[in-house]
Amino acid sequence: MNIDDKRLILVIILLLTLVFIVGSYFIFTQEISNIESSISTKATERANKINEKMVLIRSFIKTMRNNLQQYIVLQEIAKTPHNAIDLIKYYPENDASTINEIRSAKKQLINGSFSADGKISLENSDRVYEISGAFYLDSTFQSALESISDLKWVYYLSKSNFAYTLPHIPDNIVLFDNNYYKKEYWTKAIPKNNPQERLVMTNVYNDSFGKGYLVTFSEPVYVDDEFRGIVGIDVSLDAFNLIMSMNMIIGDSFLLDENNNIIAASSEGEQSQILYIPQANLKHNNVFNAADGNDYISYEIVHDEVIFVHRLNRE
């Protein structure tokens, strides 16, 4: 074989090598693009599922708030208290009122638990009519419990020192606890901290009645521009974790509150941690690279409250 033939063979090998490299790179980049597209699609599906649940929660809370506002106004006009008012008993040793037995002799008047500070006097008609309005909301409360998976509690908490809660808390006398007003579901919703009268959400907390880790969504109730109280829904994290684990995706998904605390995650053991991502990057349908070596896709679920984020290691 002469030198020219060797050179020709070498050139051919180099060309074939170049074609192989270019072709491999094209296939590789195309495959990466396909994977990224698949991840984005599946992450969007997760975010949409979370959003569907949030829409249902928001819809029920707004319905409860609007109905309660109407019921209170109608009570103040009609002046016909709910029959369950007669079931309220006063306990002078505790200076508290409650309903032990939710069933009357003929029918069940209400399904929930009522507790209040002091004695419920018919002379204090404004308070009685507000309590009646909460009792008339009973069927809406019951519908929420039946319609939203992993909903643990639904309630109305009034600034007039009473609360009405579903489901019913059995056995012991339920006394009103003034510490309710120190909780996030109240402090974040009151006019001073929520002049926009928007839906707010608490951080994750462990339920005192043993129902596990919950988050509360609450919305203020106003009648004639006067703040009266809040309606609230307590939802188990199990509902969100289930959605986050649906459909296997490369990477990890997180549901974050406004402080980047993790509410739910696709990986076990991620709760109660903080994801350190600049807030400016956490907006709807945003793809960004972070300094931690990961790529992120984010979707705003509840404005200024809940963000869905999917994290993909760049390697």
Side-chain angles (χ1 to χ4, degrees), residues 54 57-58 61-62 194 196-201 217-220 231 302-303 305:
M54 291 295 187
I57 289 171
R58 286 199 299 259
I61 287 184
K62 289 189 181 299
N194 185 23
Q196 303 89 359
E197 302 176 23
R198 62 183 177 85
L199 174 75
V200 297
M201 187 192 76
F217 298 89
S218 60
E219 191 155 346
V231 287
V302 179
H303 182 61
E305 290 287 345

Side-chain angles (χ1 to χ4, degrees), residues 167-211:
H168 177 64
I169 304 169
D171 301 327
N172 298 322
I173 296 174
V174 179
L175 298 178
F176 186 80
D177 186 353
N178 281 292
N179 285 321
Y180 294 152
Y181 299 123
K182 298 177 182 178
K183 304 295 185 182
E184 267 193 309
Y185 50 71
W186 180 267
T187 59
K188 289 184 71 173
I190 60 176
K192 179 178 69 173
N193 299 324
N194 185 23
Q196 303 89 359
E197 302 176 23
R198 62 183 177 85
L199 174 75
V200 297
M201 187 192 76
T202 67
N203 290 323
V204 177
Y205 64 94
N206 197 1
D207 180 52
S208 57
F209 284 90
K211 296 200 175 185

Side-chain angles (χ1 to χ4, degrees), residues 112-308:
S113 293
F114 170 80
S115 61
D117 259 0
K119 189 174 184 178
I120 306 303
S121 171
L122 292 177
E123 294 177 0
N124 187 351
S125 56
D126 287 345
R127 194 182 191 202
V128 169
Y129 296 148
E130 188 179 349
I131 293 169
S132 293
F135 288 165
Y136 278 116
L137 201 62
D138 189 88
S139 60
T140 309
F141 279 7
Q142 194 66 38
S143 294
L145 285 169
E146 293 169 358
S147 302
I148 302 175
S149 61
D150 283 311
L151 194 158
K152 300 302 182 182
W153 302 104
V154 55
Y155 49 86
Y156 173 62
L157 174 60
S158 171
K159 73 172 185 179
S160 297
N161 295 81
F162 75 83
Y164 183 57
T165 305
L166 263 72
H168 177 64
I169 304 169
D171 301 327
N172 298 322
I173 296 174
V174 179
L175 298 178
F176 186 80
D177 186 353
N178 281 292
N179 285 321
Y180 294 152
Y181 299 123
K182 298 177 182 178
K183 304 295 185 182
E184 267 193 309
Y185 50 71
W186 180 267
T187 59
K188 289 184 71 173
I190 60 176
K192 179 178 69 173
N193 299 324
N194 185 23
Q196 303 89 359
E197 302 176 23
R198 62 183 177 85
L199 174 75
V200 297
M201 187 192 76
T202 67
N203 290 323
V204 177
Y205 64 94
N206 197 1
D207 180 52
S208 57
F209 284 90
K211 296 200 175 185
Y213 287 96
L214 311 174
V215 288
T216 296
F217 298 89
S218 60
E219 191 155 346
V221 174
Y222 285 80
V223 176
D224 295 329
D225 296 325
E226 178 191 355
F227 173 70
R228 294 295 188 94
I230 63 161
V231 287
I233 284 179
D234 296 350
V235 184
S236 168
L237 296 190
D238 292 342
F240 298 114
N241 286 325
L242 179 62
I243 295 173
M244 300 292 274
S245 62
M246 293 172 62
N247 302 327
M248 293 299 295
I249 313 176
I250 299 173
D252 300 297
S253 295
F254 305 92
L255 202 61
L256 308 177
D257 66 13
E258 76 277 18
N259 297 314
N260 283 16
N261 293 303
I262 297 174
I263 302 168
S266 57
S267 301
E268 293 184 5
E270 294 280 5
Q271 281 79 15
S272 302
Q273 297 183 29
I274 297 178
L275 211 60
Y276 292 99
I277 304 174
Q279 280 289 324
N281 290 325
L282 295 177
K283 49 191 175 183
H284 187 69
N285 199 18
N286 185 38
V287 180
F288 60 94
N289 309 121
D292 61 4
N294 294 303
D295 292 336
Y296 290 88
I297 307 171
S298 68
Y299 303 88
E300 188 175 63
I301 304 296
V302 179
H303 182 61
D304 289 338
E305 290 287 345
V306 184
I307 292 284
F308 173 90

